[in-house]
Amino acid sequence: MPVDVLVGLQWGDEGKGKIVDVLAPTYDVVARFQGGPNAGHTLTFNGTKHVLHQVPSGIFHPHIINVVGNGVVLDPVVFREELRKLTARGVDATANLYISKKAQLILPSHRALDRIWEEARGGGRIGSTLKGIGPTYQDKIGRTGLRVGDILRADFKQRYQETVERHRQLAAFHQRELGIEADEAAFFEAVEELSQLQLTDTEYLLNNLLSQGKRILAEGAQGSLLDIDFGTYPFVTSSSTVVAGACTGLGIAPRYIEKVYGISKAYCTRVGSGPFPTELLDEVGEKIRQAGREFGSTTGRPRRCGWIDLPALRYAIMLNGVTEIHLMKADVLSDFDEIQVCTHYKRGDGTLTEQLPDLAELQELTPEYTALPGWRTNLDEVSDANALPSQLAKYVQYLEEQLNVPVTIVSVGPDRTSTLHLN
Ligand code: IMP
């Protein structure tokens, strides 16, 4: 079957961009199915680091058709910046890039509302990236959004004004102004440039490619624990980050899906608010943060760090039907005598559970750990999966046994080449 889906199994930032870039040579199409400029997919090769927000991570491979699917929320201004950066680096980003006419448009007023609503949440802040994601998906579900295809209509400006007026009233409820006057000229310039790109009904494009036997890699953004339904609600993003989102976000039927790649770090991070049972608030967490350079690629915020969490991973594997795990950033744990693995949670009443409970209970859980010996080996020199240090091989084997899914890639550095393929 010709479609494989790649999803994050944690709270995002697992290293999905790197893996899409590594796997891209074996596909014909890379398609983003949800999220928007809140994502930051980092790819490193030939000594250069690239961060993509909305452009699919297949863009550096000239043979790949890159698709921004209907499930995505697109900010034309951010998109234009990304394309400019790629052009400046000699990448012809537009020739093989198609954008769904059904993708939702992020307006300057969505970004303004994101900020206003986040501030109004006070102590209950989600820690949003403030890119306008929540308000744009809210308009989509409320059937009041503007879509990419709308920019081609003669009445676009009028519909834009009507939408902004509605947003103005929402802001007024909080006694706030939108304050977007300075952003509107850039928005319309970016919309004009967007209208010159290949805007199409990408569900037809993708299904035509499927009928020609082409292979598609669906690129997820954020992570399963940020999913609007199954994540740690309300501390989540506003889209379906799990594999089912690839069907609705691209218009591809489930029967085409074969492999599901689940991407997980060898430890765990979270950026923004919300429960994180294995979070380390001590010097161990700080050591992971420094070793892993765990600062947000979209916002620069320090990421919260902790040990790997098997109950949370099992939940994400169940939701996605993961067929292979890719274990990322193993090199970051090279300087630890012991690696802790959370196997269960202990509830307030002392009983153990392997399930991820609801938010209220999640906050009262304490993780139960098993310690495994660290590998204490610099992995820079390891270029062959058969040469993994034995303690790292045991860590991988332990995860496979506990999660009942094979680990097929171990990543030992940010570069494309620092990727070990296991049999
Ligand atoms: P929003 O999607 O910007 O509204 O943010 C909602 C929550 O998801 C916040 O906790 C963000 O930090 C988190 N989040 C959104 N996008 C990403 C991502 O790409 N990586 C990691 N966390 C993210």
Side-chain angles (χ1 to χ4, degrees):
M1 275 175 288
V3 181
D4 297 333
V5 186
L6 182 143
V7 290
L9 297 181
Q10 297 168 312
W11 281 284
D13 309 317
E14 295 93 351
K16 297 178 289 294
K18 167 177 169 163
I19 293 297
V20 173
D21 177 55
V22 166
L23 298 180
T26 59
Y27 290 90
D28 303 296
V29 182
V30 171
R32 275 280 304 272
F33 58 87
Q34 45 72 231
N38 50 348
H41 291 183
T42 306
L43 295 73
T44 308
F45 52 90
N46 300 339
T48 307
K49 177 174 153 178
H50 306 269
V51 181
L52 298 172
H53 300 286
Q54 301 178 108
V55 174
S57 299
I59 202 73
F60 296 102
H61 298 269
H63 77 282
I64 293 265
I65 294 173
N66 289 275
V67 174
V68 176
N70 56 280
V72 168
V73 288
L74 189 88
D75 186 327
V77 179
V78 178
F79 202 56
R80 178 173 67 158
E81 281 311 304
E82 279 190 82
L83 294 179
R84 282 184 178 169
K85 269 192 197 152
L86 287 166
T87 307
R89 290 179 173 190
V91 180
D92 179 7
T94 54
N96 280 339
L97 180 63
Y98 295 85
I99 300 136
S100 171
K101 286 194 203 164
K102 297 184 175 67
Q104 294 280 323
L105 276 183
I106 301 180
L107 311 184
S109 51
H110 285 124
R111 284 203 303 270
L113 281 180
D114 211 0
R115 188 172 294 279
I116 291 168
W117 286 343
E118 182 75 329
E119 283 167 17
R121 288 186 191 107
R125 283 180 192 202
I126 289 166
S128 162
T129 60
L130 303 178
K131 302 291 178 193
I133 305 298
T136 308
Y137 277 115
Q138 194 159 326
D139 269 346
K140 171 180 178 170
I141 301 301
R143 299 166 291 185
T144 48
L146 292 177
R147 310 205 285 186
V148 166
D150 292 330
I151 68 175
L152 304 174
R153 291 173 46 156
D155 63 353
F156 176 65
K157 276 214 168 138
Q158 186 197 330
R159 296 186 62 207
Y160 169 87
Q161 296 299 353
E162 287 164 8
T163 308
V164 170
E165 184 48 39
R166 197 166 39 74
H167 290 167
R168 199 163 276 131
Q169 289 166 20
L170 292 170
F173 177 80
H174 295 282
Q175 284 96 47
R176 296 283 302 273
E177 302 277 338
L178 289 174
I180 57 169
E181 294 72 19
D183 304 325
E184 289 190 302
F187 174 77
F188 281 106
E189 278 167 30
V191 161
E192 175 54 31
E193 286 186 33
L194 180 62
S195 71
Q196 308 300 317
L197 301 180
Q198 304 182 85
L199 314 182
T200 186
D201 293 312
T202 50
E203 65 278 27
Y204 278 111
L205 172 73
L206 290 167
N207 281 282
N208 284 338
L209 290 165
L210 285 177
S211 64
Q212 292 164 30
K214 302 289 185 197
R215 299 189 68 229
I216 298 176
L217 178 60
E219 175 182 14
Q222 290 80 51
S224 303
L225 303 176
L226 288 171
D227 181 80
I228 184 69
D229 288 283
F230 301 108
T232 46
Y233 192 90
F235 301 101
V236 293
T237 191
S238 297
S239 63
S240 293
T241 60
V242 293
V243 72
C247 296
T248 57
L250 295 175
I252 285 176
R255 71 187 172 95
Y256 291 115
I257 295 176
E258 183 176 6
K259 292 182 193 161
V260 179
Y261 305 117
I263 317 300
S264 169
K265 282 179 185 162
Y267 49 96
C268 194
T269 63
R270 176 165 201 169
V271 63
S273 327
F276 179 2
T278 61
E279 182 173 14
L280 294 163
L281 296 166
D282 55 9
E283 68 280 2
V284 181
E286 187 55 34
K287 185 171 165 182
I288 295 177
R289 183 174 305 114
Q290 294 306 331
R293 295 171 298 283
E294 293 293 357
F295 299 88
S297 47
T298 298
T299 59
R301 293 179 289 178
R303 297 183 185 135
R304 301 155 66 191
C305 297
W307 296 118
I308 203 163
D309 181 337
L310 297 185
L313 278 179
R314 282 192 199 102
Y315 185 60
I317 288 166
M318 173 185 84
L319 296 172
N320 290 295
V322 171
T323 58
E324 301 177 21
I325 293 172
H326 299 165
L327 193 69
M328 310 303 290
K329 295 187 111 169
D331 52 309
V332 172
L333 297 186
S334 288
D335 195 24
F336 287 86
D337 290 330
E338 272 190 343
I339 311 294
Q340 305 285 336
V341 178
C342 168
T343 54
H344 298 81
Y345 305 130
K346 193 189 267 183
R347 297 195 188 91
D349 64 5
T351 55
L352 293 179
T353 178
E354 279 190 19
Q355 286 200 6
L356 205 67
D358 278 347
L359 187 67
E361 213 192 334
L362 245 178
Q363 274 155 342
E364 286 162 19
L365 293 174
T366 40
E368 294 279 301
Y369 291 107
T370 289
L372 274 78
W375 37 95
R376 283 236 167 251
T377 310
N378 182 349
L379 300 179
D380 285 353
E381 303 300 313
V382 182
S383 56
D384 178 356
N386 296 317
L388 278 188
S390 65
Q391 304 297 14
L392 174 53
K394 281 186 191 146
Y395 184 58
V396 170
Q397 194 187 345
Y398 178 78
L399 295 180
E400 288 182 321
E401 285 164 8
Q402 292 291 317
L403 300 171
N404 213 12
V405 181
V407 174
T408 55
I409 282 181
V410 175
S411 174
V412 294
D415 197 273
R416 224 183 230 177
T417 54
S418 304
T419 311
L420 308 176
H421 295 263
L422 277 58
N423 292 325

